[in-house]
Amino acid sequence: MPEIIFIQADGTRRPATAQDGESVMRAALSNDVEGIVAECGGAAACATCHVFVDDPRVPPVTPIEDEMLEATAVPREPGSRLGCQIFVSRELEGLEVRLPETQL
Amino acid sequence: MSAGVVVLGAGQAGFQLAASLREGGYADPITLVGEEAEPPYQRPPLSKVFLKGGDGPESLSFRPPSFFERHGIALRLATRAMRIDREAARVLTEPGGWLSYDRLVLATGARNRPLALPGAALENVVALRGAEDGLALRAALARSRRVVIIGGGFLGLEVASSARAVGAEVTVIEAGERLMGRAVSPAVSRHFLEYHRSRGVVVELGQTISAILGEARAEGVTTTEDRDIPADLIVVAVGVVPNTELAEAAGLAVDRGIIVDHALRTSHPRIHAIGDCARFPSAHGGGLTRLESVQNAVDQARCAAADILGKPQPYEAVPWFWSDQGERLQIAGLTADAEETVTQGGPEAFSVYCFRNGVLIGAESVNRPADHVKARRMLAGGERPQRAAFAS
Ligand SMILES: Cc1cc2nc3c(=O)[nH]c(=O)nc-3n(C[C@H](O)[C@H](O)[C@H](O)COP(=O)(O)OP(=O)(O)OC[C@H]3O[C@@H](n4cnc5c(N)ncnc54)[C@H](O)[C@@H]3O)c2cc1C
Ligand code: FES
């Protein structure tokens, strides 16, 4: 089971174990990591699972995700992603995921 | 010490209320009373990915058990609220006995409207609301070849899409002249009719069921046109009724939902009602409204929590909704009362902008999330855009 690292807006680092195939959003919730709201539960419909990643191993943004990223609470940045659209696998071991100040 | 907040119903709204109270610094006890055995979980995937995949109900839960422990939220699961004693400010639970409250929140949701036909109780005539239903429907789909779905609303069509995806032959029978007729504009109905038919779903419009065939098991249905359609599985998706019985017995105002004011207070000041069970004065048209959506459950929970925390604010959040039927539908605002529409986009991806009195009241977007996001912003702003600003 891959380990990924959540970094809160204040810099606090929190390693979390993800199930293989689980989304970054689910991994945050099931590890009780604060900072993700995920109102729509992973349907790419709410943009309250906004995260920042800067890692070439992560597959690119899909068109739907790209459009929904315009709805994030804090402004979109080059590394902005929807946590529910990134799926963790062994290839992403050690992935660093930064969380925004707020999701609402 | 205060008896704190007791929430009846541990679904989307009940969970969010408890979480928002703690987020806002509420320090007294919070007790979530829920009839279902599972810790609070989300329903939307039940008709979508859950039916197609192999994940268990734990994949649906909002938060892990540690969340509730950490925040001091007591979960009383598999526990039914039987009666509210307003005078003594307490609730009778089964099991568990009396539970005192300082503030009470009704978040009892809705239940499926039953089909009033002989045969509706047969084992292979099913409905979908909870995780148990989801597991049962998934298992039944795996054994069934021919599925008849009664009701062409969001739920029926999502189940149709999922059933088709796992290889079933699917017939949808809808009483209205178009799909999702009460909820979306004709252009969107038409698009989804063509889409589902193109995927091989048989859609019968303007028909209802006059009988369920079969003795020990349902073997099919007879339509009002007197045609028999064979089936190994019948899914009933003909809408819901709000769970208002507790409120009614307690003497609260109830009329097709528990009546609440702008701060989601019932006719009794210490009792709020939120989510699918509440009928509220909508700030987005339509007068007294009852909505069945995640947005409404979540935002009403936040609003009621703010009121309990002594920071009341009127419930004015922009309604939004999504439905995934293989194609993606997103709705902003309340569009049922539209007098005029403008469609922008092409056949595969478009948005229908809806107007009343020449002012934008909502937008229905098919495969166009960007339009949806913009429409939500427009509806949240003070100045509503005028019809003239939209080119056909
Ligand atoms: C299959 C399905 C798919 C959906 N898809 C979408 C979607 O794509 N998008 C969207 O926006 N919305 C969707 N919805 C709607 C959304 O899930 C609901 O609007 C939302 O769950 C409402 O939240 P609630 O808390 O009001 O009610 P619920 O989530 O239904 O929770 C109410 C809870 O109260 C409990 N309860 C009732 N009476 C008692 C009692 N006397 N004592 C104790 N407990 C009691 C019930 O058992 C239930 O657990 C879907 C719903 C279903 C069923
Ligand atoms: S959880 Fe809603 S967009 Fe990711």
Side-chain angles (χ1 to χ4, degrees):
Chain A
M1 286 194 295
E3 189 178 270
I4 58 180
I5 295 128
F6 288 98
I7 307 169
Q8 296 290 348
D10 69 2
T12 317
R13 294 169 70 88
R14 168 79 195 276
T17 310
Q19 306 287 324
D20 221 359
E22 184 173 60
S23 73
V24 164
M25 177 276 280
R26 274 308 304 176
L29 295 188
S30 48
N31 284 278
D32 207 359
V33 173
E34 302 262 2
I36 293 273
V37 174
E39 277 175 17
C40 77
C46 71
T48 62
C49 61
H50 185 198
V51 298
F52 305 106
V53 294
D54 177 18
D55 191 317
R57 295 174 298 171
V58 176
V61 175
T62 62
I64 295 275
E65 183 184 353
D66 184 45
E67 293 187 34
M68 281 312 293
L69 276 167
E70 296 304 323
T72 55
V74 304
R76 181 175 182 175
E77 292 176 15
S80 282
R81 299 296 302 257
L82 296 180
C84 67
Q85 303 301 306
I86 302 174
F87 297 92
V88 186
S89 62
R90 196 162 304 153
E91 284 82 73
L92 293 184
E93 176 68 42
L95 178 71
E96 293 195 348
V97 178
R98 257 189 327 113
L99 294 158
E101 197 88 48
T102 177
Q103 299 282 3
L104 299 172
Chain B
M1 194 177 71
S2 155
V5 173
V6 170
V7 188
L8 305 185
Q12 183 97 45
F15 160 74
Q16 184 64 49
L17 180 103
S20 294
L21 278 176
R22 285 293 183 240
E23 221 176 278
Y26 188 78
D28 289 328
I30 301 176
T31 309
L32 268 176
V33 178
E35 194 178 3
E36 296 179 271
E38 298 83 8
Y41 66 90
Q42 44 169 340
R43 300 179 195 281
L46 287 173
S47 47
K48 310 175 183 83
V49 287
F50 190 79
L51 283 187
K52 296 180 268 187
D55 286 346
E58 66 289 346
S59 70
L60 304 170
S61 57
F62 291 117
R63 296 289 185 279
S66 58
F67 175 89
F68 298 93
E69 287 156 25
R70 196 155 58 82
H71 290 286
I73 298 168
L75 289 179
R76 296 276 260 341
L77 302 175
T79 300
R80 189 173 163 75
M82 309 300 288
R83 188 151 64 82
I84 300 165
D85 177 355
R86 262 178 15 179
E87 303 299 307
R90 56 184 194 160
V91 181
L92 182 62
T93 62
E94 177 63 55
W98 290 102
L99 195 60
S100 293
Y101 62 81
D102 179 34
R103 310 293 288 263
L104 183 67
V105 180
L106 303 176
T108 46
R111 61 179 179 275
N112 285 317
R113 188 184 296 282
L115 200 61
L117 276 182
L122 292 173
E123 173 247 330
N124 56 335
V125 181
V126 302
L128 179 59
R129 177 79 198 177
E132 250 175 68
D133 302 331
L135 284 171
L137 178 54
R138 185 161 79 190
L141 276 175
R143 319 185 275 269
S144 307
R145 195 160 61 81
R146 290 169 306 190
V147 180
V148 164
I149 295 165
I150 305 176
F154 297 119
L155 182 66
L157 293 173
E158 288 182 355
V159 172
S161 171
S162 301
R164 197 72 199 109
V166 299
E169 291 170 27
V170 179
T171 302
V172 174
I173 299 172
E174 163 57 39
E177 290 305 324
R178 56 188 183 89
L179 295 175
M180 304 171 278
R182 271 169 322 186
V184 302
S185 62
V188 171
S189 295
R190 216 174 308 123
H191 175 85
F192 278 92
L193 178 64
E194 280 164 25
Y195 169 72
H196 287 293
R197 284 185 171 158
S198 77
R199 298 264 327 272
V201 174
V202 177
V203 181
E204 307 276 3
L205 294 173
Q207 287 176 61
T208 53
I209 302 302
S210 56
I212 291 173
L213 306 167
E215 300 278 319
R217 285 177 63 77
E219 284 157 16
V221 296
T222 305
T223 70
T224 37
E225 279 186 348
D226 239 3
R227 231 154 25 83
D228 289 353
I229 303 175
D232 324 300
L233 178 65
I234 297 169
V235 183
V236 181
V238 295
V240 301
V241 283
N243 292 323
T244 58
E245 287 77 4
L246 276 175
E248 216 163 337
L252 303 178
V254 169
D255 174 17
R256 289 162 285 164
I258 304 168
I259 302 290
V260 293
D261 67 9
H262 283 102
L264 291 330
R265 294 185 186 146
T266 66
S267 52
H268 189 282
R270 274 165 78 179
I271 308 179
H272 287 77
I274 55 175
D276 281 15
C277 69
R279 192 143 167 261
F280 63 98
S282 171
H284 294 269
L288 277 182
T289 305
R290 197 178 64 75
L291 293 176
E292 296 151 18
S293 73
V294 165
Q295 173 279 321
N296 185 65
V298 168
D299 285 333
Q300 288 198 334
R302 290 186 181 128
C303 183
D307 194 33
I308 291 169
L309 289 163
K311 296 175 215 141
Q313 37 184 250
Y315 178 61
E316 288 173 350
V318 176
W320 58 267
F321 182 81
W322 83 96
S323 172
D324 183 353
Q325 304 173 17
E327 297 268 272
R328 188 185 174 83
L329 172 63
Q330 289 173 280
I331 304 176
L334 300 179
T335 57
D337 294 328
E339 295 165 340
E340 203 185 342
T341 60
V342 172
T343 303
Q344 291 183 353
E348 304 300 326
F350 62 93
S351 288
V352 179
Y353 294 92
C354 300
F355 302 89
R356 189 173 172 82
N357 299 324
V359 175
L360 185 75
I361 57 169
E364 300 162 356
S365 303
V366 177
N367 302 324
R368 292 263 281 216
D371 288 356
H372 172 74
V373 169
K374 279 190 213 122
R376 271 164 65 174
R377 292 231 169 90
M378 289 192 266
L379 293 165
E383 248 343 68
R384 292 280 182 87
Q386 305 283 314
R387 158 73 184 84
F390 290 78
S392 308

